[in-house]
Amino acid sequence: MACVGCEIKEEAAQVDVEALIEEQLSLETNLVEAHILEKRLEICSACPFRVGTTCGKCGCYYKFRANLANKDCPAHYWQELA
Ligand code: SF4
């Protein structure tokens, strides 16, 4: 169990990442449809390469990558969705 201070820092870092992703996505025009995004995120959530908010295969924030229509999963886990 993490100490209260660490839990607060982790929570703050998480909020920053979400805000950063949202900001970056507002600049993107080629986004996947909602039903594809939902499935991609489901796969990423259960992925053994995911490290917190990051894809361990490519180093991207996985929630950012999952939104981009021109990006694929570096481990080919999204292939079934194409
Ligand atoms: S993009 Fe692929 S490899 Fe990366 S976390 Fe998602 S499913 Fe895993």
Side-chain angles (χ1 to χ4, degrees):
M1 182 174 174
C3 71
V4 175
C6 292
E7 284 176 358
I8 290 169
K9 278 186 204 161
E10 282 174 18
E11 208 174 287
Q14 185 66 27
V15 169
D16 290 345
V17 167
E18 295 293 336
L20 184 64
I21 290 171
E22 210 164 296
E23 186 184 334
Q24 288 301 305
L25 285 174
S26 72
L27 304 172
E28 298 289 340
T29 55
N30 192 11
L31 302 176
V32 294
E33 292 176 33
H35 70 283
I36 297 286
L37 174 62
E38 190 180 330
K39 287 180 179 164
R40 283 183 173 187
L41 293 178
E42 205 176 291
I43 292 168
C44 289
S45 293
C47 178
F49 296 114
R50 185 180 60 81
V51 183
T53 56
T54 304
C55 169
K57 276 282 185 183
C58 66
C60 292
Y61 290 125
Y62 76 89
K63 285 184 181 175
F64 178 66
R65 189 178 186 93
N67 272 277
L68 304 178
N70 63 341
K71 295 290 183 187
D72 205 348
C73 165
H76 311 293
Y77 290 160
W78 298 343
Q79 274 184 343
E80 65 189 68
L81 306 176

